Amino acid sequence: MENAITMLRVLGRQARACDGISRRELLRVGGLSLFGGMTLPTFLQAANRGARSSHVFPGKAKSVILLNLFGGPPHMDMFDLKPEAPKEIRGEFKPISTSVPGLQISELLPLTAKIMDRATLIRTYSHKYNSHNPYNVLTGFDGGSDRENYFAKRTDHPSMGSICQYLDIGAKDIPRYVVMPAFPGYTQALRRAGPFGGYLGSQYDPLFTVCDPKVARKPKDDYDPVPAMGAPTPPSLNQLPDLTADRFNRRHSLLGQLDRQLTTTEASGAIERLSEFKQQAFTLLSSTKTRAAFDISQESDQVRDRFGRNLWGSSMLIARRLVEAGSTFVTVHWESEGKNHWDLHANNFGMLKTHCPQLDQLTAALVLDLEERGLLDETLVVIMGEMGRTPNINAKAGRDHWPQCGFSLLFGGGTKAGYLLGKTDKHARYPTERPVSAGDMAATIYQLLGVDWSMTVPDLSNRPVHISHGGQPVHEVIA
């Protein structure tokens, strides 16, 4: 253990990226969020976990796999087609029937159409937060602004996965909260708001994986998607001999900082607890169980092919392996090299012809795989984006930002099977029945996980903040 700790040295060299840290260093540092808040107060907070247990009850779901389609997937081209709308609205794709009588979705999603009898489809995810990050999806807060909330900061609201860690939910021998394939914004060497512990502290950040995806060719522009190949991996201690991070003292090793904490607290009687949690953090990251969950080479060729051997299929296969091993909250953020994003301001239909087949394949593979393993009833699968797209097609054959209406697709974890919630107007512009806010979605996920969605947590000023931000569970979709 000492050797692992002394590998991690905090150096004083200056980073060169525009935000102060190079992309390579961001990829390395991102993986350390599992133990990034390693200060004495962090460890001592463990003593208060018992008081938080009163906010946890037996939930229908033990785990969540959340796929965030970064940029904003076009609901009217995927799950809420309007074939009778004018040409400049209805787009190129035709609706097809699904396994739910009377329910139709896009022809680009034939495999998903066959499993809609296992799904709850919400067609009216609606809010006003127009910003490109997963902040509203992962926290339930949609009252921010692009100017204030685009980048992650210490005053942000904590993510749902962070709340689960704060409440000490789940297994102790595997990372409980994981974000793949890397931290949101890594292709731009920035950190988008959403997945972090925020004012609760970085000790509740997820484990961010690292990846080095490959593309077959260089995209012609921002709207020329090229499938990303590869798979996320946990950060390896052996691959981190040198590490620059603002959160650590640049002139001393991490071990040295921890030793100083021990020295200054000898009289407090907290030494044993500090040592225990220091060791636990490193043990989690380097454990055989953690690394086995990421080793998809253990899967058969049939399973690999079923999910798809691209970055997103591989990420969802790892997500299944993680929840099978005991992880509580796993997020896959669809943003990578090769213009792999859903911000479809141009070439909307061309991009969907690349993205939707990948999404269709991995969705059906994940749901059926979980079902065959007896895990679907206890695993909540959520597929959504931070917003929808405008009904009107623009001059570049794209659709623009439209947070007023979007979709959320749910499977398993205590949700109803073959259920449709919400209606939109004739152009899919606004909800006409049962709008669902970001807070409502968060409250629903909390309810299914067995978390008191009405509880509060203290912000940096020790003021109580509701974790669902005024939302309430959408009881109609809960079985």
Side-chain angles (χ1 to χ4, degrees):
M1 184 58 61
E2 270 191 21
N3 289 338
I5 296 175
T6 53
M7 281 183 207
L8 299 167
R9 305 201 63 85
V10 182
L11 304 182
R13 62 175 179 260
Q14 183 65 35
R16 294 186 298 276
C18 61
D19 59 346
I21 303 177
S22 72
R23 178 177 178 275
R24 184 179 183 185
E25 287 166 335
L26 277 171
L27 288 174
R28 289 181 170 183
V29 176
L32 294 177
S33 288
L34 179 68
F35 45 84
M38 219 181 274
T39 61
L40 178 61
T42 297
F43 297 115
L44 298 188
Q45 283 187 27
N48 297 321
R49 285 176 178 168
R52 300 172 193 159
S53 63
S54 61
H55 295 289
V56 180
F57 54 88
K60 296 186 176 184
K62 293 182 179 179
S63 304
V64 174
I65 297 174
L66 192 157
L67 175 58
N68 180 58
L69 306 180
F70 168 74
H75 53 294
M76 71 293 296
D77 293 314
M78 298 174 68
F79 291 100
D80 193 10
L81 283 75
K82 303 293 184 180
E84 304 302 321
K87 183 178 180 180
E88 64 271 17
I89 289 176
R90 70 173 180 263
E92 297 182 6
F93 308 126
K94 295 179 174 59
I96 59 172
S97 297
T98 71
S99 53
V100 176
L103 175 61
Q104 294 185 320
I105 63 175
S106 173
E107 63 182 321
L108 296 181
L109 302 167
L111 299 176
T112 305
K114 293 179 181 180
I115 61 167
M116 289 302 291
D117 58 348
R118 282 93 156 169
T120 279
L121 172 59
I122 298 175
R123 282 179 167 166
T124 49
Y125 182 62
S126 181
H127 59 88
K128 297 180 180 180
Y129 177 51
N130 183 359
S131 187
H132 272 319
N133 52 45
Y135 195 36
N136 69 83
V137 174
L138 297 182
T139 69
F141 178 71
D142 57 16
S145 68
D146 194 56
R147 175 182 297 232
E148 295 294 326
N149 302 107
Y150 190 86
F151 298 105
K153 57 186 185 300
R154 184 73 169 84
T155 54
D156 284 347
H157 298 295
S159 65
M160 290 181 282
S162 297
I163 291 292
C164 290
Q165 295 207 114
Y166 176 80
L167 294 173
D168 200 25
I169 296 173
K172 304 294 191 294
D173 57 350
I174 186 108
R176 293 182 279 188
Y177 177 27
V178 180
V179 172
M180 299 187 286
F183 59 84
Y186 83 101
T187 52
Q188 292 79 35
L190 58 84
R191 290 182 182 245
R192 303 187 192 279
F196 302 98
Y199 46 71
L200 289 182
S202 59
Q203 66 268 31
Y204 302 116
D205 286 357
L207 169 67
F208 290 103
T209 62
V210 297
C211 69
D212 185 19
K214 307 299 181 184
V215 293
R217 61 176 176 82
K218 183 179 180 180
K220 294 178 292 186
D221 55 41
D222 287 340
Y223 304 99
D224 175 29
V226 183
M229 310 305 290
T233 61
S236 171
L237 292 177
N238 294 329
Q239 294 172 347
L240 296 167
D242 298 320
L243 185 64
T244 297
D246 290 339
R247 70 181 59 180
F248 298 141
N249 187 310
R250 291 179 178 270
R251 296 172 298 172
H252 300 280
S253 70
L254 175 59
L255 179 61
Q257 292 180 67
L258 292 170
D259 286 344
R260 285 196 304 278
Q261 292 280 10
L262 284 168
T263 300
T264 58
T265 58
E266 286 181 350
S268 71
I271 296 174
E272 291 184 4
R273 279 183 290 170
L274 178 59
S275 178
E276 174 189 349
F277 284 96
K278 175 183 70 175
Q279 196 170 57
Q280 180 182 348
F282 285 100
T283 300
L284 265 183
L285 186 57
S286 58
S287 74
T288 301
K289 187 175 182 181
T290 298
R291 297 189 180 280
F294 283 91
D295 186 6
I296 54 177
S297 67
Q298 297 182 26
E299 299 286 350
S300 67
D301 286 341
Q302 181 181 8
V303 171
R304 293 291 309 279
D305 292 339
R306 185 183 196 182
F307 276 79
R309 292 178 182 260
N310 52 65
L311 179 60
W312 312 114
S314 297
S315 294
M316 294 304 273
L317 178 54
I318 292 171
R320 187 268 287 165
R321 292 177 64 84
L322 282 167
V323 300
E324 194 172 30
S327 294
T328 302
F329 209 105
V330 181
T331 296
V332 175
H333 180 78
W334 193 309
E335 178 189 12
S336 177
E337 282 93 347
K339 307 307 174 185
N340 280 263
H341 62 79
W342 295 76
D343 190 20
L344 313 180
H345 290 288
N347 191 28
N348 176 81
F349 306 103
M351 293 190 78
L352 289 179
K353 289 175 183 176
T354 295
H355 290 349
C356 281
Q358 295 178 71
L359 175 64
D360 189 43
Q361 181 178 5
L362 67 84
T363 299
L366 177 65
V367 171
L368 294 176
D369 193 73
L370 288 169
E371 186 176 71
E372 291 163 6
R373 292 169 183 273
L375 296 172
L376 186 59
D377 287 345
E378 62 187 43
T379 305
L380 174 63
V381 177
V382 182
I383 301 174
M384 60 188 298
E386 71 265 30
M387 64 180 75
R389 312 300 297 187
T390 53
N392 292 78
I393 302 167
N394 64 28
K396 297 180 179 179
R399 297 188 191 270
D400 299 314
H401 297 182
W402 194 251
Q404 289 87 341
C405 198
F407 73 85
S408 182
L409 184 63
L410 313 175
F411 294 93
T415 58
K416 289 181 179 177
Y419 187 75
L420 173 64
L421 180 73
K423 292 183 179 180
T424 61
D425 61 28
K426 61 182 181 180
H427 294 164
R429 193 177 303 274
Y430 297 105
T432 58
E433 289 183 13
R434 193 55 169 102
V436 173
S437 71
D440 294 337
M441 279 300 307
T444 303
I445 293 171
Y446 283 134
Q447 176 72 20
L448 290 168
L449 272 175
V451 172
D452 177 7
W453 55 270
S454 67
M455 71 172 283
T456 64
V457 293
D459 67 7
L460 293 177
S461 300
N462 207 33
R463 294 171 299 189
V465 181
H466 288 274
I467 61 172
S468 298
H469 308 286
Q472 297 188 11
V474 183
H475 292 289
E476 299 99 313
V477 309
I478 299 176

